[in-house]
Amino acid sequence: LGDVYKRQAVNSALGEIGLEIQELQEAVSQLDRLEAVTNIPSLDRTDKAFAPGRFDIELKDVSFSYGGGRKVIDHVSLKIPQGTTCAVVGPSGSGKTTLCSLIARFWDVQEGSVCVGGTDVKDCTADSLLKNLSMVFQNVYLFHDSIENNIKFGNPNATHEQVVEAARR
């Protein structure tokens, strides 16, 4: 009977070691992904702040593909005058979200240019561009917190009056 208990104890210990090894492999995989994300180069090639006098948007012969794959946006040109509304319509996967992401400079175009207020978005810092441009995506996520704190996420130092004004708009 003693040998049976010893074998069960050894098998149990080996099983636990196996689980620990699996968790360690998952942790190493997560660390590899974290390293890949932290090594993504900055899009900014200048420290110039974006300070437009107007907010019209123009795409000039823009082409873009993710990771060198097929072109999602292929030689698109359009003008959206300040103060107007523009609808981008198309089937799933046709590039609507990508187009908006290029305007906000979440990605840089491979060909052509994206201009806001006459300024190429590559000629200013991404942070300064996003201080003047906002987007509402299809999938909106809220933090489990107050509406005020959800609004303040974009500007944690906003006053209560600024939050109310943002909500009103």
Side-chain angles (χ1 to χ4, degrees), residues 1-15:
L1 220 56
D3 286 343
V4 172
Y5 288 124
K6 286 180 187 176
R7 274 194 292 254
Q8 286 178 340
V10 168
N11 285 340
S12 177
L14 288 174

Side-chain angles (χ1 to χ4, degrees), residues 60-65 71 73-76 102 108-114 122:
K60 301 174 188 174
D61 200 29
V62 167
S63 293
F64 176 80
S65 64
K71 287 185 179 177
I73 307 292
D74 191 10
H75 299 286
V76 170
L102 294 172
D108 274 340
V109 299
Q110 279 99 25
E111 297 175 45
S113 63
V114 176
K122 289 183 180 180

Side-chain angles (χ1 to χ4, degrees), residues 45-46 48 50 58 60 105 108-109 112-125 129:
R45 57 183 193 194
T46 180
K48 182 180 172 188
F50 179 70
E58 183 174 9
K60 301 174 188 174
R105 198 166 176 229
D108 274 340
V109 299
S113 63
V114 176
C115 297
V116 176
T119 300
D120 190 320
V121 295
K122 289 183 180 180
D123 294 337
C124 60
T125 65
L129 175 67

Side-chain angles (χ1 to χ4, degrees), residues 141-154 156 163:
Y141 300 98
L142 294 175
F143 296 107
H144 188 67
D145 203 338
S146 67
I147 297 296
E148 180 164 357
N149 284 339
N150 271 274
I151 293 172
K152 286 178 80 170
F153 180 75
V163 171

Side-chain angles (χ1 to χ4, degrees), residues 22-32:
Q22 184 179 1
E23 287 180 11
L24 222 107
Q25 288 172 330
E26 288 177 19
V28 167
S29 174
Q30 295 293 331
L31 287 172
D32 287 345

